Amino acid sequence: MERALESRSGRLYFGGNNGFNEFFPDSVKEKPYSPPIVLTDFKVFNKSVQIGDRTSGEPILKADITESREITLPYDQSVISFDFASLNYISPEKKEYQYRMEGFDKNWNNVGTRHTATYTNLDPGEYTFSVRGLDSNGEWSNNARSLQLNIIPPFWQTWWFRGLSIFLIMGGALSAYLVRMRRIHVNGRSSSDWYRNEPKSRPAEGQLAYSIGILAECE
């Protein structure tokens, strides 16, 4: 048989088969309920993406969007949408939402009862999409639903393409420099050979003229 007792201090005691419990009534606080948020649909160019759908390479969704934790898209899939819902069956009137794309949005977007978020022309990079609703006390819940979003850049914006471009430019500049230096070296050596041989040719010419003169006198 259960018994209850209130002390002079206002503490309540409740007895049971395994002992008793004690507490102050004003210390009992209602714990807020944060209903979970689920993603219900993911769209590219306003078309729902199904499991296994591809743009190129790997499937966009390997599992249902309600279970997916990461999505990877090429840069040209530039219009994306998320649909979401709060599983709040106790206070349906409190189904209001905020969402944010970390890496793009600086603050949460308040959208009231609207349950769709759309983004266009996101730059290549890594993002985290998060959405949250109101708890039972009407405060924004800390129980947000998050998903990692990766946008793959075009090949000309990748690090390997930029590195290859820099390598080719530097290689071309070095090749042009080496060719120029070789030409300068060849031209310099030709000029040096000409000046070195010039003094030797003049005595030979003089000797030839002297011999011709002697022959003329003998005649």
Side-chain angles (χ1 to χ4, degrees):
M1 178 178 181
E2 296 185 356
R3 297 179 180 274
L5 175 67
E6 181 179 3
S7 68
R8 294 181 179 179
S9 63
R11 188 191 303 267
L12 295 180
Y13 295 87
F14 290 88
N17 295 331
N18 298 319
F20 63 90
N21 298 308
E22 58 175 341
F23 60 90
F24 288 101
D26 56 2
S27 66
V28 177
K29 304 294 182 182
E30 180 182 0
K31 184 178 180 180
Y33 169 66
S34 296
I37 302 291
V38 296
L39 297 178
T40 59
D41 197 8
F42 176 66
K43 301 175 183 177
V44 176
F45 292 113
N46 296 321
K47 181 180 178 181
S48 295
V49 177
Q50 306 299 323
I51 299 175
D53 285 353
R54 302 169 182 263
T55 53
S56 61
E58 295 293 322
I60 298 175
L61 291 179
K62 297 180 180 180
D64 191 84
I65 187 60
T66 57
E67 302 174 357
S68 298
R69 297 296 173 181
E70 183 175 3
I71 292 176
T72 299
L73 291 172
Y75 74 97
D76 55 353
Q77 304 299 299
S78 56
V79 180
I80 61 174
S81 300
F82 296 93
D83 289 353
F84 40 83
S86 171
L87 302 183
N88 185 351
Y89 303 109
I90 299 176
S91 303
E93 70 280 359
K94 293 183 178 180
K95 288 187 177 182
E96 296 186 15
Y97 305 96
Q98 286 184 332
Y99 68 81
R100 177 177 62 179
M101 185 73 77
E102 295 182 40
F104 180 79
D105 294 322
K106 294 182 179 180
N107 302 305
W108 289 91
N109 298 293
N110 294 304
V111 291
T113 58
R114 186 161 57 90
H115 50 86
T116 299
T118 299
Y119 288 90
T120 61
N121 299 318
L122 290 174
D123 292 332
E126 296 181 353
Y127 304 88
T128 301
F129 176 76
S130 299
V131 57
R132 64 184 182 181
L134 296 174
D135 62 23
S136 58
N137 290 338
E139 302 292 336
W140 290 113
S141 172
N142 293 323
N143 186 20
R145 170 67 161 95
S146 298
L147 178 142
Q148 180 75 26
L149 176 65
N150 306 311
I151 306 296
I152 301 175
F155 73 91
W156 60 84
Q157 290 185 7
T158 57
W159 65 268
W160 60 264
F161 181 83
R162 292 176 178 175
L164 180 60
S165 299
I166 294 173
F167 175 78
L168 292 176
I169 292 172
M170 293 180 64
L174 179 60
S175 298
Y177 172 77
L178 293 176
V179 170
R180 179 173 175 79
M181 293 303 296
R182 180 176 178 82
R183 289 179 178 175
I184 293 174
H185 177 71
V186 170
N187 292 337
R189 186 171 61 184
S190 299
S191 299
S192 177
D193 292 342
W194 184 83
Y195 283 113
R196 186 169 57 251
N197 296 328
E198 178 66 14
K200 294 180 180 179
S201 64
R202 289 180 178 176
E205 293 173 358
Q207 184 65 32
L208 178 60
Y210 177 76
S211 300
I212 294 173
I214 292 176
L215 291 174
E217 290 178 358
C218 293
E219 293 178 356

